[in-house]
Amino acid sequence: MTAVTEVLAPLADTRQWQEELYVHLHQHPELSSHETETAAEIQRRLTSFGYDVTPVGGGVVGVLKNGEGPTVLMRADIDGLPVTEQTGLPYASTATTVDDDGNTVGLMHACGHDVHITTLLGAAELMAKTRAPWSGTFIALFQPAEETAAGAQAMLDAGLTDVIPRPDVAFGQHVLGHEAGRIGITPGPVMSCADSIKITLYGAGSHGSMPQLGVDPIVLASAVVQRLQGIVARELTPGERAVVTVGALNAGTKSNIIPDRATLLVNTRVYSDEVRAKVLGAIERIVKAECEASDSPKPPTFEYYDQFPLTSNDQATSEKVRAAFDAHFGTDRVFTMEAIAASEDFSRVPDAFGTPYTYWGLGGFPAGAKAAPNHSPFFAPVQQPTLTAGTEAVVVAALAYLSKDA
Ligand code: ZN
Ligand code: ZN
């Protein structure tokens, strides 16, 4: 018997409470940075499994020390989204809440973080139940506010590095549109680095009939939007991947008034720090130059927000975990995942410790079905084999480092 088969032996019992917990979490999503009940539930369960549990920065960490050996950290994000669920599932969320702007919004686990919580708690129980075949420390980290890129930083700001030992390796997983039961993993960049920028352009207000007395920020903003499209097409080396999207352009109130400012909300996605510097530098250069071209009376302002770091999997860690996945799941259930344009703040915690990491994708949908994407009101992963595969993946990856047969 290998360590993996021994630790996974009681999985049938774990699966029962996991499915109930999954439905409960799915029906009770909470917004980013407001995951109070979710964190309390996690804390209760980890404590009952015998973990040393500490709430940190809105999240929860459980540490299970089991003799000498490496320290392995597995992270799950726990927040829901302001989306009104339309999946028609019998356990669909009907929850609503009032957001920070005072609007009543629907609430849904539209990114599958309920899968992440359930699979990590399941793996945490299994690791605690059967300790003989492994040695070392297993850390289960539950992070709030992934969707707003604030949660990992909040845990670090609250002193996470003093609360847990330095992990030798860190893992994360995300349920994605692949076939349920399959796992995608790849070394190198796997999720993009993202920045959002609020750009304010200044004009000079005037009557719509007297444009010569003002500086029209709408014409200026239009020129900026057009010109930004040239960054990816004309400034990056062919093959360097990036996205520059203007998601909002706001200016003006009436047809006969030239307003005095325009605001743009720009979002960028890149896969290396070098390309990030090029893209952000080009945006600022173009905006400033267009303001000058329009004789703008005041320099533009740039406010950066919702900044996600690059998720770039360590080569050796990814190869080791991939080999363990291949051995456990069989090579037909493990595939090399392409980098995706979405972003994550997962890497902040391993980066704070200087810890190598790998982050893999967990399939969650029936074969051949067209899966609604993450964040869609129709996002509906199937419970099984998703929950079981996700639980097994955590145990298999952890034991690749902690198993006594290794
Ligand atoms: Zn998401
Ligand atoms: Zn997510």
Side-chain angles (χ1 to χ4, degrees):
M1 227 189 196
T2 63
V4 168
T5 44
E6 260 186 85
V7 173
L8 290 178
L11 182 56
D13 300 331
T14 300
R15 192 180 291 139
Q16 289 189 1
W17 66 253
Q18 275 186 305
E19 290 178 3
E20 286 163 29
L21 173 67
Y22 176 74
V23 166
H24 173 80
L25 293 169
H26 193 82
Q27 290 177 326
H28 298 87
E30 293 177 291
L31 278 186
S32 304
S33 302
H34 297 277
E35 304 92 334
T36 328
E37 290 305 317
T38 307
E41 179 70 34
I42 291 164
Q43 200 175 335
R44 268 197 298 278
R45 295 203 182 234
L46 280 177
T47 305
S48 77
F49 303 154
Y51 281 68
D52 190 356
V53 183
T54 316
V56 187
V60 181
V61 276
V63 178
L64 183 65
K65 287 204 172 91
N66 186 32
E68 289 298 304
T71 297
V72 169
L73 181 147
M74 176 72 200
R75 172 270 211 176
D77 43 8
I78 67 172
D79 47 335
L81 283 161
V83 172
T84 301
E85 180 159 354
Q86 295 176 52
T87 58
L89 288 169
Y91 53 88
S93 164
T94 55
T96 59
T97 191
V98 178
D99 70 11
D100 294 341
D101 299 325
N103 305 311
T104 299
V105 291
L107 268 177
M108 176 183 175
H109 267 297
C111 202
H113 297 184
D114 44 358
V115 172
H116 309 165
I117 301 167
T118 306
T119 51
L120 179 51
L121 280 175
E125 186 193 44
L126 292 167
M127 293 296 287
K129 254 188 184 169
T130 310
R131 304 186 199 190
W134 68 275
S135 184
T137 300
F138 180 69
I139 303 175
L141 183 146
F142 294 86
Q143 185 213 294
E146 183 280 324
E147 297 292 354
T148 53
Q153 196 57 51
M155 292 187 82
L156 290 167
D157 291 347
L160 177 69
T161 54
D162 300 327
V163 172
I164 57 170
R166 177 187 175 273
D168 295 294
V169 67
F171 306 130
Q173 71 178 348
H174 207 298
V175 63
L176 298 170
H178 309 289
E179 183 184 340
R182 298 191 77 213
I183 312 270
I185 183 164
T186 190
V190 65
M191 293 255 198
S192 70
C193 167
D195 288 273
S196 288
I197 320 163
K198 179 182 180 186
I199 302 173
T200 306
L201 307 168
Y202 295 96
S206 182
H207 194 284
S209 69
M210 298 172 229
Q212 77 282 9
L213 300 179
V215 172
D216 190 336
I218 294 178
V219 174
L220 164 58
S222 308
V224 168
V225 172
Q226 288 296 328
R227 192 73 207 256
L228 291 179
Q229 309 308 314
I231 296 173
V232 175
R234 303 287 79 184
E235 296 199 35
L236 298 186
T237 309
E240 277 178 339
R241 298 200 297 150
V243 181
V244 177
T245 290
V246 180
L249 192 176
N250 292 303
T253 49
K254 292 189 73 184
S255 68
N256 63 353
I257 298 173
I258 293 172
D260 71 348
R261 69 192 59 197
T263 56
L264 301 178
L265 300 181
V266 179
N267 187 260
T268 64
R269 307 282 165 146
V270 299
Y271 295 89
S272 78
D273 293 334
E274 297 71 44
V275 175
R276 175 172 183 261
K278 269 196 226 174
V279 167
L280 298 182
I283 290 171
E284 294 209 9
R285 188 194 73 235
I286 287 167
V287 169
K288 286 175 188 161
E290 287 293 345
C291 287
E292 205 161 314
S294 292
D295 198 18
S296 173
K298 208 167 132 181
T301 57
F302 301 86
E303 293 165 59
Y304 288 82
Y305 64 101
D306 284 2
Q307 295 180 284
F308 291 86
L310 182 68
T311 310
S312 186
N313 286 341
D314 177 61
Q315 182 84 27
T317 308
S318 307
E319 283 170 6
K320 189 170 168 127
V321 171
R322 165 104 196 215
F325 284 168
D326 283 344
H328 176 73
F329 292 107
T331 48
D332 56 325
R333 285 179 61 189
V334 185
F335 62 97
T336 303
M337 188 168 74
E338 293 220 349
I340 49 180
S343 305
E344 254 287 352
D345 67 349
F346 157 76
S347 65
R348 286 200 204 282
V349 169
D351 283 349
F353 285 100
T355 294
Y357 61 81
T358 193
Y359 183 97
W360 62 83
L362 174 68
F365 294 84
K370 197 170 171 292
N374 297 60
H375 292 203
S376 151
F378 301 100
F379 181 77
V382 291
Q383 285 194 48
Q384 297 298 1
T386 313
L387 294 176
T388 296
T391 305
E392 290 180 38
V394 178
V395 168
V396 168
L399 290 177
Y401 288 81
L402 299 173
S403 157
K404 284 181 183 168
D405 16 277

